């Protein structure tokens, strides 16, 4: 390995990583600005760290051992020599679902109908984002199928304190507002669309970024059996997606839809951390009669009083109870390390 470059992992499939290397470096090398494909140094596996899309990495390579694959991408020789990930730079966070590092904005996506919104799943995703200091932004898609429900959901999440958007890709409505949000808030950050399979994440990305042609899928038997249209996380550089964003450093990821099952397999945080992930509970925390109030059913609970008054949506409290019950049954030894 006689050369080094820095870059960002934009996809990882079966241990093979696609990496977008930085264009301008202090010590220029032949791969600057190129997208490459390689594996990681073996030792990461022993350290229990897996490189993730969104990771900033150092790639080492030998000019002499590089070959160019059929897509024109410089790649390692067949024996894996020539180029590899040498180092993962420190992360701001790492998620298990979606499997990504360094996220700053999560577009929590649901459909007004088909599939019917599962608010406990939506709220779980929001809590995971909050716990990892990722800003959740709510996308309510397929508004054409049930405009009334879409408006209700938007009101619910706006009141809880989130930026929330109603869109219909079918009717081409609401997409400009999401575009505006991305231009103003995601320019130099990593964002991802996440949510249940079939809610329309890839369809919306195709509308937002006309140069993309993500594969999208009909809801059919194949989704019902748990197969998804989008199979892996892929990051796209905003500077590639929008011609007028040449200087943007940001990335937007499409992610595979998940099922409820994916969630219950993992611990995401301790139950004591849960109340702090509910931003609509914040004004009431610390105001309950008992200092150790769990906000589940105690007398004199300020959170429950706010639910009764309608200041906190009852669906948000129901999700809180459901996540709490998931977390309380976990034993510490079933936990996945956060630097997974
Ligand atoms: N009626 C209606 N259908 C839509 C809308 N947006 C997407 N769809 C349809 O919903 C289906 C699923 O869309 P996808 O974009 O593949 O969904 P996804 O969330 O990417 O799904 P996964 O990749 O499996 O996670 C497709 O048949 C789309 O045509 C919309 O605004 N209105
Ligand atoms: Mg998709
Ligand atoms: Zn309480």
């Amino acid at each position: 390995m006689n050369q080094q470059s820095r870059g960002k992992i934009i996809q990882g499939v079966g241990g093979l990583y696609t990496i977008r290397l930085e264009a301008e470096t202090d010590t220029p090398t032949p791969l600057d600005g190129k997208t490459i494909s390689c594996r990681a140094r073996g030792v990461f596996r022993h350290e229990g760290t897996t490189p993730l899309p969104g990771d900033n990495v150092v790639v080492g390579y030998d000019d002499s051992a590089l070959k160019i694959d059929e897509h024109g991408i410089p790649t390692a020789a067949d024996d894996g020599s020539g180029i590899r990930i040498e180092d993962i730079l420190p992360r701001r966070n790492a998620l298990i679902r979606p499997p990504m590092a360094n996220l700053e904005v999560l577009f929590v996506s649901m459909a007004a109908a088909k599939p019917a919104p599962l608010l406990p799943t939506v709220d779980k995703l929001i809590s995971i984002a909050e716990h990892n200091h990722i800003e959740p932004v709510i996308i309510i898609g397929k508004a054409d199928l049930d405009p009334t429900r879409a408006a209700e959901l938007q009101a619910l999440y706006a009141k809880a304190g989130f930026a929330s958007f109603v869109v219909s890709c079918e009717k081409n409505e609401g997409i400009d507002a999401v575009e505006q949000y991305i231009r103003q808030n995601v320019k130099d950050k990593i964002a991802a669309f996440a949510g249940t399979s079939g809610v329309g994440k890839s369809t919306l990305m195709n509308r937002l970024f006309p140069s993309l042609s993500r594969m999208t899928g009909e809801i059919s038997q194949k989704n019902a059996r748990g197969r998804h249209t989008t199979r892996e996380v892929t990051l796209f550089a905003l500077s590639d997606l929008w011609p007028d964003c040449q200087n943007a450093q940001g990335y937007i990821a499409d992610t595979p839809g998940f099922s409820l099952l994916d969630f219950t397999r993992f611990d995401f945080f301790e139950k004591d951390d849960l109340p702090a992930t509910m931003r609509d509970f914040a004004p009431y925390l610390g105001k309950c009669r008992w200092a150790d109030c769990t906000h589940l059913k105690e007398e004199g609970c300020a959170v429950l009083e706010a639910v009764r008054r309608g200041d906190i949506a009852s669906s948000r409290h129901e999700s809180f109870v459901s996540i709490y019950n998931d977390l309380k049954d976990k034993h510490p030894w079933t936990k996945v390390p956060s630097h997974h």
Side-chain angles (χ1 to χ4, degrees):
M1 304 281 159
N2 58 358
Q3 306 263 26
Q4 279 199 335
S5 292
R6 283 188 177 206
K8 192 182 297 296
I9 299 180
I10 57 173
Q11 196 179 68
V13 180
L16 194 62
Y17 298 95
T18 307
I19 300 164
R20 197 173 188 273
L21 297 177
E22 285 173 12
E24 279 164 44
T25 55
D26 300 339
T27 50
T29 77
L31 293 188
D32 287 350
K34 294 222 160 51
T35 297
I36 58 140
S37 164
C38 69
R39 294 183 183 275
R41 174 167 72 86
V43 72
F44 293 126
R45 286 194 295 276
H46 305 301
E47 290 166 355
T49 308
T50 310
L52 289 170
D55 263 326
N56 297 309
V57 295
V58 177
V59 167
Y61 59 97
D62 253 321
D63 308 354
S64 55
L66 292 179
K67 65 167 203 178
I68 307 294
D69 74 8
E70 66 269 28
H71 308 293
I73 296 175
T75 187
D78 292 334
D79 64 0
S81 70
I83 181 163
R84 65 181 188 184
I85 297 173
E86 293 284 335
D87 212 357
I88 301 173
L89 301 182
R91 292 169 170 166
R92 62 172 277 135
N93 56 36
L95 294 190
I96 297 166
R97 283 288 178 280
M100 285 187 72
N102 299 320
L103 256 182
E104 289 186 79
V105 176
L106 188 67
F107 290 104
V108 176
S109 309
M110 71 191 101
K114 290 189 182 171
L118 293 170
L119 298 188
T121 310
V122 166
D123 292 328
K124 200 157 192 174
L125 198 51
I126 291 173
S127 283
I128 290 164
E130 296 272 27
H131 185 71
N132 287 283
H133 309 288
I134 299 165
E135 179 65 18
V137 176
I138 312 302
I139 305 284
I140 300 135
K142 306 197 189 186
D144 52 286
L145 297 180
D146 193 341
T148 311
R149 182 76 176 126
E152 282 169 11
L153 289 166
Q154 184 186 29
L156 193 168
Y157 285 100
K159 190 173 172 195
F162 301 99
S164 44
F165 299 94
V166 170
V167 303
S168 167
C169 292
E170 188 73 21
K171 293 201 163 172
N172 220 359
E173 283 168 3
I175 294 161
D176 290 354
V178 180
E179 174 176 336
Q180 245 354 83
Y181 184 90
I182 293 171
R183 286 182 183 279
Q184 283 167 13
N185 301 286
V186 183
K187 238 179 159 177
D188 298 315
K189 296 177 179 165
I190 302 183
F193 284 87
T196 313
S197 195
V199 298
K201 301 179 292 295
S202 300
T203 306
L204 178 56
M205 285 202 51
N206 285 341
R207 292 289 195 286
L208 286 165
F209 311 109
S211 63
L212 273 186
S213 48
R214 303 288 297 154
M215 207 206 282
T216 60
E218 290 303 320
I219 296 204
S220 64
Q221 233 85 29
K222 81 177 172 125
N223 295 73
R225 285 208 311 268
R227 285 213 258 124
H228 310 299
T229 303
T230 302
R231 296 308 197 96
E232 57 265 329
V233 173
T234 309
L235 273 70
F236 300 93
L238 276 175
S239 60
D240 293 342
L241 292 170
W242 281 334
D244 60 336
C245 283
Q246 286 311 308
N247 298 321
Q249 302 293 308
Y251 288 79
I252 308 265
D254 191 8
T255 74
F258 42 69
S259 59
L260 260 180
L261 220 116
D262 292 327
F263 271 140
T264 45
R265 290 196 351 245
F266 302 107
D267 251 0
F268 292 97
F269 43 77
E270 305 292 325
K271 72 177 187 326
D272 292 346
D273 293 332
L274 178 60
T277 71
M278 307 291 293
R279 66 171 68 176
D280 38 350
F281 290 15
Y284 312 103
L285 296 179
K287 299 196 175 138
C288 305
R289 184 179 304 158
W290 313 109
D292 61 351
C293 186
T294 60
H295 324 300
L296 297 176
K297 50 178 180 250
E298 285 90 337
E299 283 290 312
C301 170
V303 171
L304 282 168
E305 278 162 16
V307 174
R308 261 176 243 122
R309 282 197 308 271
D311 293 338
I312 292 174
S314 52
S315 72
R316 290 278 294 163
H317 187 260
E318 285 158 20
S319 296
F320 171 84
V321 174
S322 142
I323 303 171
Y324 183 96
N325 286 328
D326 283 354
L327 295 174
K328 94 173 165 1
D329 296 332
K330 300 278 170 171
H331 299 289
W333 57 85
T334 64
K335 263 195 347 219
V336 171
S338 60
H339 291 283
H340 118 109

